[in-house]
Amino acid sequence: MNRRSFLQAAGLGLSAAVLPISFSACGESTKRVAPSGRLNLSFEPYELQLKHAFNLAKYQRTTTPDVQVRIDYDGLVGYGEASMPPYLGESVESVTKFLNSLDLGQFTDPFAIEDIHAYMDSVAPDNRAAKASVDLALHDLVGKIMGQPWYKIWGLNPEKCPNTSFTIGIDTEDVVRQKVEEASPYRVLKVKMGLDNDKETVDIIRSMTDVPICVDANQGWNSKGQALEMCEWLADKNCLFVEQPMPKEMHDETAWVRERSPLPLIADEALQRLPDVKRMSEAYDGINIKLMKSTGLHEAYQMAVLARALGMKVMLGCMTETSCAVTAAAQLAPLADFADLDGNLLISNDRFDGLKIVDGKVTLPSAPGLGVTLLG
Ligand code: MG
């Protein structure tokens, strides 16, 4: 279904601020498609195709629903996207409904990011990925107006970007071996856990390589005893940290494990936005910031700064996304201790060019804004 028929099928009208613009027809556009002096939002669904089926502790999938967004302003185009893995509770329909409910045409200044976020939060309390898509397009636009990438606007040193990890999902031994071979350019492997064969997966990896691993249990360990036992076992396996060892509701139990664990614990599902950060410091050593949880870069930057001020580790993560959102997150990489920015590498239909991974390290493009170029 193409975008127009999708919108018709959904019975969704296009407001004055939501223009019927074809992404593919406009390309990397400086073409004026809307009157100047207004923010003009347009969007289309775009299903991300995964190279490998994605197996996590709780489900499997081969695609990720996504909505691609652009904001036209005074002859410039800002790009953004919303990626909606099912556990986040958003969908193409909910993102479409939220974006259609916005009247961005009331804003005449793309630099008014704080006000636009306050406006979006007043429209609906959740819809975090949908808000992120607008936030990213605004940051892209503002950076292009300023002629600078965001890491420079924030005053960050791109030489300080950490290595990024490459994800090895839960899978059969043959597929795990294949993925470890694919991951040979990377200096850190991220291992998904939370099933009965966790130790076997690590043993397979350790039979092939001694690069450091980080482990994401995805809430899969259900008791503090099991979580601590796994942390102690992993500490002898050149593991850097453990992400979300237990269900997010088990805050006190996680604090108990943190007191005793030889490895740092990083919160992922347990936190979403800026107000969650301080509580995380009670039970975790660090936080995993993802743009689709944080409503985009505006709050993600503040979360990174607050976490560092609290003495916590900062990890930057992503969903399966195109290079648009992954490169956006990478703009913050100089503030991060750990990066897990491989979401674009896990899909077969990326439509943007952006960050590069060179010798395992996040390497930021020098192009202004988010630093991305629409392909084709
Ligand atoms: Mg995680």
Side-chain angles (χ1 to χ4, degrees):
M1 183 183 288
N2 65 28
R3 174 181 168 278
R4 184 176 295 277
S5 59
F6 167 82
L7 291 173
Q8 284 168 346
L12 298 166
L14 293 161
S15 75
V18 184
L19 299 180
I21 297 166
S22 163
F23 261 70
S24 54
C26 292
E28 177 59 18
S29 179
T30 53
K31 176 181 169 187
R32 176 160 299 186
V33 291
S36 65
R38 296 269 171 201
L39 299 176
N40 291 281
L41 173 68
S42 58
F43 53 91
E44 64 179 350
Y46 187 74
E47 188 171 73
L48 304 177
Q49 307 295 323
L50 307 186
K51 289 178 184 172
H52 297 284
F54 207 53
N55 301 312
L56 295 177
K58 295 182 188 292
Y59 64 92
Q60 181 197 60
R61 66 176 198 272
T62 56
T63 61
T64 302
D66 185 280
V67 172
Q68 299 276 304
V69 167
R70 57 182 283 167
I71 297 177
D72 289 77
Y73 175 81
D74 205 18
L76 292 171
V77 180
Y79 293 107
E81 77 178 299
S83 172
M84 291 85 68
Y87 70 90
L88 287 182
E90 290 182 77
S91 63
V92 169
E93 289 73 21
S94 70
V95 169
T96 299
K97 184 178 176 196
F98 178 80
L99 294 178
N100 267 320
S101 74
L102 295 179
D103 174 19
L104 287 194
Q106 68 184 287
F107 295 98
T108 57
D109 182 2
F111 285 77
I113 292 173
E114 178 93 5
D115 286 353
I116 294 170
H117 269 286
Y119 164 66
M120 289 198 291
D121 282 340
S122 76
V123 170
D126 297 321
N127 300 92
R128 289 182 293 272
K131 291 171 185 174
S133 71
V134 173
D135 169 281
L136 297 192
L138 286 171
H139 279 81
D140 197 26
L141 200 50
V142 166
K144 285 173 175 171
I145 293 169
M146 297 176 77
Q148 299 293 340
W150 270 91
Y151 72 85
K152 279 197 173 184
I153 296 170
W154 284 318
L156 304 178
N157 179 354
E159 298 299 315
K160 292 187 175 172
C161 289
N163 292 326
T164 191
S165 53
F166 186 84
T167 300
I168 310 291
I170 296 169
D171 227 310
T172 62
E173 177 170 352
D174 284 348
V175 176
V176 169
R177 287 185 178 281
Q178 182 191 339
K179 287 185 186 172
V180 172
E181 280 171 17
E182 259 180 55
S184 58
Y186 295 85
R187 294 176 183 174
V188 183
L189 298 181
K190 177 168 176 174
V191 186
K192 296 284 191 181
M193 288 197 168
L195 292 182
D196 293 339
N197 62 345
D198 285 350
K199 290 184 179 176
E200 290 165 38
T201 303
V202 172
D203 286 337
I204 294 166
I205 294 168
R206 277 289 160 261
S207 73
M208 297 179 70
T209 176
D210 57 4
V211 298
I213 59 172
C214 45
V215 161
D216 187 355
N218 280 113
Q219 314 186 74
W221 299 331
N222 292 313
S223 76
K224 59 187 184 183
Q226 181 191 15
L228 180 59
E229 192 261 322
M230 285 303 298
C231 289
E232 288 171 339
W233 186 80
L234 287 164
D236 290 331
K237 304 289 180 185
N238 196 14
C239 179
L240 300 175
F241 62 83
V242 172
E243 186 181 332
Q244 202 61 54
M246 283 188 288
K248 60 186 178 184
E249 299 81 10
M250 296 177 74
H251 187 77
D252 293 343
E253 291 87 345
T254 304
W256 182 92
V257 176
R258 194 265 291 264
E259 293 261 305
R260 295 158 178 82
S261 170
L263 296 177
L265 306 185
I266 306 289
D268 183 5
E269 287 87 347
L271 93 157
Q272 308 285 344
R273 298 184 59 174
L274 181 62
D276 303 325
V277 175
K278 190 161 184 302
R279 183 162 184 265
M280 291 302 105
S281 68
E282 300 165 0
Y284 298 85
D285 302 288
I287 57 169
N288 186 350
I289 300 170
K290 294 177 177 172
L291 300 182
M292 296 302 138
K293 299 191 301 182
S294 70
T295 70
L297 282 169
H298 186 62
E299 212 159 290
Y301 174 80
Q302 298 174 65
M303 291 170 76
V305 171
L306 176 56
R308 290 171 72 101
L310 290 169
M312 301 179 80
K313 299 285 186 194
V314 171
M315 175 178 179
L316 276 178
C318 59
M319 310 300 176
T320 41
E321 297 162 352
T322 72
S323 288
C324 180
V326 177
T327 308
Q331 298 288 331
L332 285 168
L335 281 176
D337 300 283
F338 309 112
D340 180 27
L341 297 174
D342 63 352
N344 56 328
L345 303 174
L346 304 177
I347 63 171
S348 59
N349 59 339
D350 196 354
R351 64 190 325 197
F352 285 92
D353 185 42
L355 90 162
K356 298 284 180 275
I357 306 301
V358 179
D359 294 332
K361 189 175 167 180
V362 175
T363 306
L364 289 163
S366 58
L370 302 183
V372 297
T373 307
L374 185 65
L375 300 168

